[in-house]
Amino acid sequence: MVQTTASQLKNRLRRADGQLQGILKMVDDGRECKDILTQLAAVRSGVDRMMGVVVAENVKQCVAQDQLTDDQQAELQAALDLVVKTH
């Protein structure tokens, strides 16, 4: 994983950690189940996006050694964009 992406991933992980710490406080404070579930869904969404980024970067690295045409590179990037956006 390139340094920029590693740095971005660490930032996203820190953000998720902060959200989880906030959820722990919500539980301690006796907040409503609905509020806690809303925050948990937000954390899950963020983790899903992170997984998509990690998969996309891994695929890019795996094919980086192959010589791809410009069209193939564009198709690969479009597919990876779908994975990242979907997750």
Side-chain angles (χ1 to χ4, degrees):
M1 193 175 317
V2 295
Q3 184 60 29
T4 306
T5 304
S7 177
Q8 291 171 342
L9 180 61
K10 287 180 183 180
N11 287 338
R12 289 178 185 217
L13 288 167
R14 286 185 191 101
R15 188 176 315 133
D17 181 54
Q19 287 176 300
L20 288 169
Q21 294 302 317
I23 294 168
L24 283 170
K25 184 172 180 343
M26 291 173 73
V27 171
D28 287 343
D29 292 346
R31 296 281 299 269
E32 294 290 325
C33 179
K34 177 183 171 186
D35 296 334
I36 293 169
L37 289 174
T38 298
Q39 293 305 311
L40 285 170
V43 171
R44 179 173 52 191
S45 176
V47 169
D48 286 345
R49 282 191 305 275
M50 282 185 268
M51 290 173 61
V53 168
V54 170
V55 168
E57 286 303 315
N58 186 50
V59 169
K60 284 181 187 177
Q61 288 178 5
C62 288
V63 299
Q65 296 173 353
D66 292 338
Q67 297 293 358
L68 299 178
T69 66
D70 289 343
D71 287 341
Q72 289 171 325
Q73 288 178 357
E75 289 178 24
L76 174 61
Q77 187 59 53
L80 293 175
D81 289 344
L82 286 173
V83 169
V84 173
K85 290 177 186 174
T86 302
H87 291 63

